[in-house]
Amino acid sequence: QNKSYNRVWIPDAEHVWRSAEILRDFHVGDNVLELLLEDGTHHYPVDPSNTRLPPLRNPDILVGENDLTALSYLHEPAVLHNLKVRFVESRIIYTYCGIILVAVNPYKQLPIYGDAIIHAYSGQNMGDMDPHIFAVAEEAYKQMARNHKNQSIIVSGESGAGKTVSARYTMRYFAVVSKSGSKTKVEDKVLASNPITEAIGNAKTTRNDNSSRFGKYTEISFDKKYQIIGANMRTYLLEKSRVVFQADYERNYHIFYQMCSCAHLPEFKNLRLLSADNFQYTSMGGDITIEGVDDKKDMEETLRTFSLLGLNKDFQSDVFKVLAAILHLGNVEIRNSGDDKSSVPPSDPHLAVFCELLGVRAEGLVRWLCHRRIVLVAETVVKPVPKERAVNARDALAKQIYAHLFDCIINRINTALQAPGKQHAFIGVLDIYGFETFDINSFEQFCINYANEKLQQQFNLHVFKLEQEEYMKEDIPWTLIDFYDNQPVIDLIEAKMGILDLLDEECLFPQGTDQSWLQKLYSYLDANHLFEKPRLSSQAFVVQHFADKVEYQCKGFLEKNRDTLYEELVDILRDSKVIKGRILLQLLFFGYTVDSLWTPYLPRVKPANKQLRTSVGEKFRSSLSLLMETLNATTPHYVRCIKPNDEKLPFEYDSRRVVQQLRACGVLETIRISAQSYPSRWTYIEFYSRYSILMSHQEADLNDKKQTCKNVLQRLIQDTNQYKFGRTKIFFRAGQVAYLEKLRLDRLREACITIQKHVRGWSQRRKYLCMREGWAAVMIQRHWRGYRVRQVYQLVRLASITIQAFTRGWMARKQYRKIYAPANPLFTCQMLKEHKALVLQKYCRAWLARRRFQTMRRLVLNVQLSYRVQQLRKKIEEQVNIFGSFILIIQIVLKNIPGRIAENNTEILREDHEKEMEILKEEIKRLKEERIGLNRKLEEVDQMNSDLQEQVIQLTKHIKIIPELRRDLSSLQNQRNNVDRKMKQHQSFLSLYRHFEEKAEELEEVKRELQSQVEELEEENDHLKRLQQIESEAKSKLRQETSRLTAENMDFEEQLDQKDRLIKKLQTQIKSLETSQKGTDVASKQTSASAVPKDYLGMLEYKREDEPRLIQNIILDLKPKGVVVNVIPGLPAYILFMCVRHADYLNDEAKLKSLMNAIIGGVKNSHHKDLNLLSFWLSNMYLLLNSLKQYSGEEEFMKQSTPRQKKNCLRNFDLSEHRQILSDLAIHIYHRFITVMEKTLTPTIVPGMLEHESLQGISSMKPTGFRKRSNSIYEDLDTYTISSIIQQLSDFHSTMTQHGMEQGLIRQAVKQLFFLVGAITFNNIMLRKDMCSCRKGMQIRCNISYLEEWLKLKDLQGSNAIDTLKPLSQTAWLLQVNKSTDDDAKEISEKCTELNPVQIVKILNSYTPIDDFEKRVTSSFVRKVQSLLQDREGSTHLMLDTGYRFQVTFPFCPSSQALELLQVPSSLRLDFLTKI
């Protein structure tokens, strides 16, 4: 085992399982496994005959996964640890376990159930998002719509685990995602049923403040459009005993306390209610309030939901009367009258109130509470009963009244929720009790555990079936998997002569008792190994359930199974005057016949009616069978609720309590079934992405990724039995994924070490070079070396000059001698003398040199001699030591010789001894002589040494003078250097002064040149302005001419295409020419000479009857892809405005109003869901709105208008109201336009921003378990990338630009789209734990940079669109930043300003390392961040509102278009318009 993976789980009494590290390899035959625990070493015993080693622990990288089946080692401790990590450290309450959703109750309100989260899960595949109750609901809804099959969601768990809340959230999800839009508000009614059922069926227990004391199966009906049309509820096993008895610290049903809290209200005055602690039925538990619960407010909610369901006031009044009567009945005092008799005081106030509320006779009620009728064969006897039995009769009556009231309310709710149409499909939500085992278990626990046995059997078969289908779908050989079948336990309970059958049989006997029934169980079931008799009790029996052994106390089984109620009491209620007038109470008791009662004291004859002996157990078994038939006909989805601790503390995890529930709810059975074969399953894409690092270059270059995965796996794992290749997945046996993770980690570690080595080397070299540049030593060395080089240079220069001087002198003298010496005898004599002097000098110098050499030679010889003397002394001492030791050896030998000689030949030995002595004496003599010689040499050496010391003293005196000479020399040299330096500084100052003078002259010249250039540029600028003005005038004329020519060109094209209508067109042109001639005449009279053409006024005339044609042709039939529209996108707006101007010119109010209404109506009907139409008409409405403002005559809109435009303003009408209507219409079109773009863009956002790897190799997939992602398939389909998002944005921008949309409007639309991208991406990160990693943060920041580049490319930086991505950008930064120290926490709190505390904590808790090199965020660090953020104000929502819209504005933008120059192309078929 590698040391990184040698961790195991060992059993522990406190924590169930503890982690330990193996210290020594285990070998076959060892009886002890050495482990290292946190508190020291531990020896784990191992049985050599049955080697069962402790289970291995998964690598840390696999811990905390969304699906428990993604773990490599599947066993109980792995499941327990994974749930703990997710719940305690990551604050995640939901986890998948194959097909099961495990929900751990947090005992705290979490912000994960809002409508935004519902919409985020809507339409998503189950593996794409984090585990959630909404994901299960969406899966059920989707399968119902896709497969046209009914679904069921089974929510189970023990009391306090959160079953009711989970079921409520599933129903709320269906109500939100399937809103029908009808006025009946069926969805609200379905949700409104929950408060009522919780009020009458939930109560406080020691384990749960809102415990459901009944099972409930709610069928939510859907029509063919899969919208809710109704619902129906079925209930199971209401705990009636709670009405008359509550244990300590428990309460009765909530409705009683709600009524008592409102006793002072007028509508409850007639009920004579008291405080809850004054009624026996509500005060037995001693605790009448619940912390944090306001019963009065809950009552208001109950009344509101009664009304919402259509239950009228009379019905509500009847319900409250019956409930109040039950409370007063509990306070009726029954006294002991002696002789097994009992009585009720006639003046009992509660008896009077009970009789008044229900309208019954007090005498009859008192009589039959204290008496019973016994029917014999020949007569009927009335016999009094003791107080105990009278109290039991009173309580039985109260229980039956409440039970039938409960059923009646459920029936009325079902009637209110009844579907008006035909049901197409339904989704059932089963909220039922989980497996229960208490210190004292009775009939209720037996029925509950019986129901769970049936549900567990159905669950096992379903899991087995899914497993088999998975193997067959992937073409994997199917081998029979052994799974636990609990049919024997079910047979023990429900089969003939089983527990229930024997119980019903015993109930038939009038004298039957619990003890007699128990003895029958012992005798009939003793051979069954699942049934046991307790050793220490004779009042109980034990059943081995699938979850655990449960001991049941037999006391009360018969009474609860009989559910006895006397007929006489029912007759009294049936004769009530009040009951006969009330529908509710008729349902309660008129339908309550003798057949439905249990009458135990009848003669022992076979009853004619089989209903007569229907017991509670039999009813429950029948209803349970019906429920199982319903579930088997649907596709089940499982939610297992877990209670993490008994103290109801938030996010506290008690491993012992959790493991009990995991064993009981089937989670571990699912794990066991999965672990038997190939538990780990990866798609080929996941495997390729995760383990591509283990591939060679040749393997990675293959295009077939599936074959590549096969090749790599066959190379890495030699045993082919450890994995199987399916069509789309690879199946692994337990532990193989952990082995692959080890190989991957080793490869990454090697690569990291290599990278770190080179990076550290580069970094250190860089630091060294930076430090080296600033070192003082390096600076000193540099200057010193420069100084020395300069000094040597000066010395060499001086020597060179001297040599040159002497050489030149010598050469000159030599030349002189050649020329003048022969002619001058005096010179020759002089030369001879000089030659002799040179010879003398030569020999003298040679003698002095030899003398100095001899002196140095003697000095060296003396030194060598002293060294050799020292060596000789050492050698002599060594020889002396050797000689002494040798003499000692001889003496020892001589002492031992006499003894040895005595044994041998004495004479021979003596001779040999004498010879040896002689030889030794000679040797000693020789050594003494050598010693004497050496002593002499030592004396000579000492003499020579003394001479040398004297010479050394003399040399030392001479040497002392040398430093003084050197100091003098250095001082002189320093003085010289100082003088040189000062000279050089003076010269440099002079040179700088000259240089500055030269620069000043140059700058003067440059200044003069620049002034001349500035003058030239000013002249050129004036010239360019004149040219620009001329050019703009020419462009305006050219534009006008171009529009005119374009229109004429369109006319010519139409004429060529429609030759058959040539005559008609010519006639139309003649008419238009005549009209235009008239218009020209009018215009010539009204306008003066001007540069603008005088022919037209920019108005179009039409007849009133042609108005529909105008709207039809210019609005309804116009397509934005035509040639004319491409050239002038705003042409429809200009044409419509020119028509408006003409109506204003004519002062025709009716025509103007009709035209404006027609325009608004036409535009409303013209756009639906077409992007091009919406963009086109948004642009035209904006242009029309601006035209109405520009020509309104208001000063603020005329500042940039031309004189001609100012002259053509509207004259007669104020169209400000119509402008407001047009503005509202434009806003509506804008929002429709944004909606269509969002609908197109939304599918690309999550794949492009989160799932696609824009940085290749940065991210790597991890196993997802049973719930695979929707995109995790082998086929390489066309997936969306960041390029897809950018391309879509470019298409939108191109469309808006093509239709001439104003830039301000484009910027607002782009900002809205960027907000959508950021919000959807952010929301997915919040709901996807697999996206919260450092590498994913890098991907997101890269994608944001791409979007920012696109904004720069399109010149849209001014839109502030990038600011809408700040939450996403800060999220990416938060994923990448270090998260360990206090400084990190402070930095996070300071920089994440766009995120609220809830979002920051969610990201930190969801942070998931991709590799072992990353660290999880500790709980202590999260608490630090929370403490720093506790004072931050703002939103507490987890999600961003993707439906948020920024306020759109339409800024005024005047048009430069001259309306009088516009030509109406004949292709628009507007020949009925006449230009004025």
Side-chain angles (χ1 to χ4, degrees), residues 943-980:
Q943 184 65 33
M944 292 176 64
N945 193 17
S946 62
D947 296 339
L948 288 172
Q949 287 178 355
E950 292 177 358
Q951 293 178 8
V952 167
I953 290 169
Q954 293 177 1
L955 289 172
T956 303
K957 293 179 181 178
H958 292 295
I959 288 169
K960 289 179 179 178
I961 303 172
I962 293 173
E964 296 177 359
L965 296 174
R966 287 181 177 174
R967 283 195 294 271
D968 295 338
L969 179 62
S970 63
S971 62
L972 292 172
Q973 189 68 32
N974 289 334
Q975 292 176 4
R976 180 181 175 184
N977 291 336
N978 291 332
V979 173
D980 292 341

Side-chain angles (χ1 to χ4, degrees), residues 526-780:
D526 184 56
N528 195 317
H529 68 282
L530 298 175
F531 181 88
E532 298 179 10
K533 178 181 178 182
R535 293 182 180 179
L536 303 178
S537 175
S538 60
Q539 304 293 325
F541 62 93
V542 177
V543 176
Q544 176 66 62
H545 289 285
F546 74 94
D548 199 359
K549 286 184 178 181
V550 181
E551 180 177 319
Y552 297 101
Q553 301 295 323
C554 68
K555 183 180 179 180
F557 262 72
L558 263 69
E559 180 184 352
K560 293 175 181 177
N561 190 49
R562 286 168 175 163
D563 199 17
T564 306
L565 180 63
Y566 300 126
E567 180 185 358
E568 292 78 11
L569 293 175
V570 176
D571 290 340
I572 290 174
L573 294 176
R574 188 180 292 117
D575 293 337
S576 167
K577 299 178 181 178
V578 176
I579 291 177
K580 290 181 179 179
R582 297 294 188 182
I583 297 176
L584 166 68
L585 301 184
Q586 289 174 3
L587 290 173
L588 278 176
F589 298 106
F590 285 169
Y592 196 98
T593 63
V594 179
D595 293 340
S596 63
L597 301 176
W598 179 256
T599 310
Y601 300 108
L602 293 175
R604 292 190 183 183
V605 295
K606 187 175 181 180
N609 192 343
K610 193 175 180 180
Q611 289 287 333
L612 191 61
R613 55 188 181 90
T614 302
S615 63
V616 173
E618 182 65 25
K619 291 177 183 177
F620 183 70
R621 178 165 51 183
S622 300
S623 62
L624 188 59
S625 298
L626 181 62
L627 173 65
M628 298 312 300
E629 290 178 7
T630 304
L631 294 180
N632 290 329
T634 63
T635 301
H637 306 267
Y638 299 94
V639 180
R640 298 295 192 239
C641 299
I642 302 296
K643 186 177 182 180
N645 61 79
D646 290 330
E647 292 75 24
K648 305 174 187 176
L649 299 175
F651 289 105
E652 289 293 330
Y653 191 85
D654 185 352
S655 298
R656 289 178 295 178
R657 289 288 291 117
V658 172
V659 79
Q660 289 175 0
Q661 298 169 73
L662 290 176
R663 292 168 181 169
C665 70
V667 171
L668 297 181
E669 183 64 18
T670 304
I671 292 297
R672 196 186 67 79
I673 293 175
S674 299
Q676 283 190 27
S677 53
Y678 298 93
S680 302
R681 297 157 196 185
W682 289 50
T683 64
Y684 288 97
I685 292 295
E686 288 175 342
F687 183 87
Y688 187 91
S689 174
R690 182 73 177 170
Y691 298 115
S692 58
I693 192 173
L694 299 177
M695 300 175 184
S696 62
H697 292 295
Q698 293 80 5
E699 292 170 337
D701 289 341
L702 295 176
N703 294 326
D704 189 353
K705 293 184 179 180
K706 185 174 181 180
Q707 187 60 41
T708 300
C709 295
K710 291 182 178 181
N711 296 339
V712 172
L713 199 53
Q714 291 169 356
R715 175 172 57 83
L716 297 176
I717 303 177
Q718 303 298 328
D719 186 3
T720 57
N721 189 40
Q722 300 300 318
Y723 56 87
K724 294 293 181 184
F725 296 110
R727 292 195 313 107
T728 62
K729 301 174 186 175
I730 307 174
F731 288 61
F732 294 96
R733 290 200 183 275
Q736 298 309 306
V737 173
Y739 172 70
L740 292 173
E741 285 294 319
K742 169 188 172 298
L743 297 179
R744 182 176 181 274
L745 182 62
D746 292 343
R747 177 66 62 85
L748 286 174
R749 184 176 286 109
E750 292 174 2
C752 287
I753 291 173
T754 303
I755 294 171
Q756 288 174 351
K757 178 179 68 175
H758 287 85
V759 170
R760 286 170 179 167
W762 171 80
S763 178
Q764 292 300 324
R765 284 192 299 272
R766 187 177 178 185
K767 289 181 180 178
Y768 168 75
L769 293 175
C770 293
M771 292 170 60
R772 189 173 179 273
E773 290 179 359
W775 282 352
V778 175
M779 300 291 291
I780 293 171

Side-chain angles (χ1 to χ4, degrees), residues 305-417:
T305 52
F306 265 123
S307 301
L308 184 60
L309 287 170
L311 306 180
N312 55 35
K313 294 292 184 180
D314 292 338
F315 179 83
Q316 297 177 35
S317 177
D318 289 342
V319 169
F320 295 135
K321 279 187 178 182
V322 174
L323 291 171
I326 292 173
L327 291 178
H328 287 288
L329 179 62
N331 279 18
V332 172
E333 182 183 1
I334 300 177
R335 297 175 180 176
N336 191 357
S337 301
D339 297 331
D340 291 336
K341 295 181 181 180
S342 59
S343 63
V344 177
S347 60
D348 191 310
H350 295 286
L351 176 65
V353 174
F354 175 82
C355 295
E356 178 185 346
L357 289 175
L358 296 186
V360 298
R361 292 180 295 107
E363 298 82 5
L365 180 66
V366 169
R367 181 186 180 190
W368 293 116
L369 280 176
C370 301
H371 298 78
R372 64 180 176 87
R373 178 190 298 164
I374 300 176
V375 180
L376 302 177
V377 176
E379 60 179 340
T380 301
V381 179
V382 177
K383 179 182 178 181
V385 296
K387 175 183 177 180
E388 181 181 356
R389 300 195 69 170
V391 170
N392 289 338
R394 180 198 66 186
D395 293 344
L397 178 61
K399 289 190 294 184
Q400 290 294 345
I401 292 175
Y402 190 83
H404 283 78
L405 174 66
F406 180 85
D407 293 337
C408 180
I409 294 175
I410 296 298
N411 290 333
R412 291 297 297 267
I413 291 175
N414 287 335
T415 303
L417 298 178

Side-chain angles (χ1 to χ4, degrees), residues 1382-1394:
D1382 293 344
D1383 292 337
D1384 297 333
K1386 185 177 180 181
E1387 186 180 13
I1388 289 172
S1389 63
E1390 290 175 352
K1391 289 194 174 181
C1392 295
T1393 56
E1394 297 295 326

Side-chain angles (χ1 to χ4, degrees), residues 141 178-181 221-229:
Y141 185 76
S178 63
K179 278 194 176 296
S180 59
S221 303
F222 297 85
D223 59 12
K224 290 185 178 181
K225 295 181 180 179
Y226 300 104
Q227 296 174 340
I228 292 180
I229 58 172

